[in-house]
Amino acid sequence: MPPKKQKDDGAQNNAAKITMLDFEAKRLQMRIVEEQMRADRSKTQEMQLQQKYLSMDKDFKGEKEKLFNISTDMNRQYKQMQDELLKDINELNATVKEKDEVIKTKEQQITDYRANYEEKLKKKDQDIAELRKKIDDMSLEFADMLKETLNKMQERIELAQWDNNSDNQVMRNFKEASGFGN
């Protein structure tokens, strides 16, 4: 009977192996379920991350487009301001040139007026000098005429022969007063 014992031991071994294999199969099934749950969670997280990535990419593209539009608008405003400033500068330069021309014209007019004034002043000075010379000449002629008249009066008085001392005295006084003493 010893061989039966071997059969019992082999059957027991087989039953233990089956139980062990059964236990191992359940453990592996549980592990498969856990791995499947983990895979599902990973897949859910991956999908969430994918959605988040797509949303962020969409936001990024929107921000990029917004930034491009702002940059384009700022460039347009800058160029417009630059054009306006250049226009203002050109207008101001033209105004400066016009004012410079007006100043040059006014300076020329002032120079012309000054030259004309100085010419008139010289002419007036010449006229005054000529008139003074005429006055001096006329004064000399008048003095000569007075002297001549005085001399003629003296001759007539002497001819009339006035003996009166008072008349001679009057004549001397008249000569002294007129400044025409001999």
Side-chain angles (χ1 to χ4, degrees), residues 157 160-172:
I157 291 174
Q161 293 187 358
W162 290 359
D163 282 335
N164 194 347
N165 283 338
S166 66
D167 286 338
N168 285 334
Q169 187 65 28
V170 169
M171 270 313 268
R172 271 188 249 136

Side-chain angles (χ1 to χ4, degrees), residues 4 14 23 32 34 39-40 55 59 95 100 138 177:
K4 258 190 177 185
N14 280 341
F23 179 72
I32 288 173
E34 285 176 3
D40 288 345
S55 174
D59 290 345
T95 302
D100 283 345
M138 288 175 75

Side-chain angles (χ1 to χ4, degrees), residues 62-72:
E63 287 297 317
K64 186 177 178 182
E65 186 176 335
K66 185 178 176 182
L67 181 63
F68 177 77
N69 290 338
I70 290 171
S71 176
T72 303

Side-chain angles (χ1 to χ4, degrees):
M1 292 232 270
K4 258 190 177 185
K5 198 174 180 187
Q6 257 186 358
K7 270 188 178 182
D8 276 343
D9 277 344
Q12 261 184 354
N13 259 348
N14 280 341
K17 278 185 182 179
I18 288 175
T19 307
M20 212 158 108
L21 287 175
D22 226 9
F23 179 72
E24 185 67 24
K26 285 182 184 179
R27 190 181 65 80
L28 287 175
Q29 281 177 349
M30 282 179 59
R31 191 164 175 204
I32 288 173
V33 169
E34 285 176 3
E35 288 296 321
Q36 185 65 41
M37 286 173 58
R38 201 167 123 208
D40 288 345
R41 280 193 309 263
S42 292
K43 190 70 168 172
T44 302
Q45 286 179 347
E46 180 184 352
M47 288 175 69
Q48 288 174 346
L49 285 174
Q50 183 79 19
Q51 285 294 337
K52 194 173 184 179
Y53 170 78
L54 290 174
S55 174
M56 288 175 77
D57 188 49
K58 182 180 174 184
D59 290 345
F60 175 74
K61 287 178 181 176
E63 287 297 317
K64 186 177 178 182
E65 186 176 335
K66 185 178 176 182
L67 181 63
F68 177 77
N69 290 338
I70 290 171
S71 176
T72 303
D73 187 49
M74 288 180 75
N75 280 337
R76 181 193 55 76
Q77 288 177 5
Y78 172 78
K79 287 181 180 182
Q80 182 181 3
M81 286 174 58
Q82 186 179 25
D83 290 343
E84 288 173 5
L85 288 174
L86 285 174
K87 179 183 171 189
D88 289 346
I89 288 170
N90 290 334
E91 287 175 359
L92 290 172
N93 282 336
T95 302
V96 166
K97 285 180 183 177
E98 288 174 14
K99 297 303 178 186
D100 283 345
E101 289 298 320
V102 168
I103 288 171
K104 285 179 183 177
T105 303
K106 295 295 181 185
E107 286 175 347
Q108 185 61 42
Q109 287 176 348
I110 290 170
T111 303
D112 293 345
Y113 287 142
R114 251 190 211 138
N116 191 15
Y117 173 76
E118 288 175 7
E119 187 178 312
K120 285 181 181 180
L121 193 61
K122 284 180 184 178
K123 176 75 170 126
K124 294 291 180 188
D125 286 343
Q126 287 174 351
D127 290 347
I128 289 170
E130 288 176 12
L131 290 173
R132 281 194 179 140
K133 185 168 177 11
K134 282 183 183 179
I135 289 171
D136 289 343
D137 290 345
M138 288 175 75
S139 291
L140 286 174
E141 286 177 19
F142 186 68
D144 288 341
M145 202 167 73
L146 280 179
K147 207 181 219 184
E148 199 177 298
T149 304
L150 183 60
N151 286 337
K152 283 183 185 179
M153 283 178 73
Q154 207 172 20
E155 285 175 16
R156 284 188 186 165
I157 291 174
E158 286 176 6
L159 287 175
Q161 293 187 358
W162 290 359
D163 282 335
N164 194 347
N165 283 338
S166 66
D167 286 338
N168 285 334
Q169 187 65 28
V170 169
M171 270 313 268
R172 271 188 249 136
N173 286 343
F174 180 69
K175 283 182 182 178
E176 287 175 7
S178 65
F180 293 111
N182 292 337

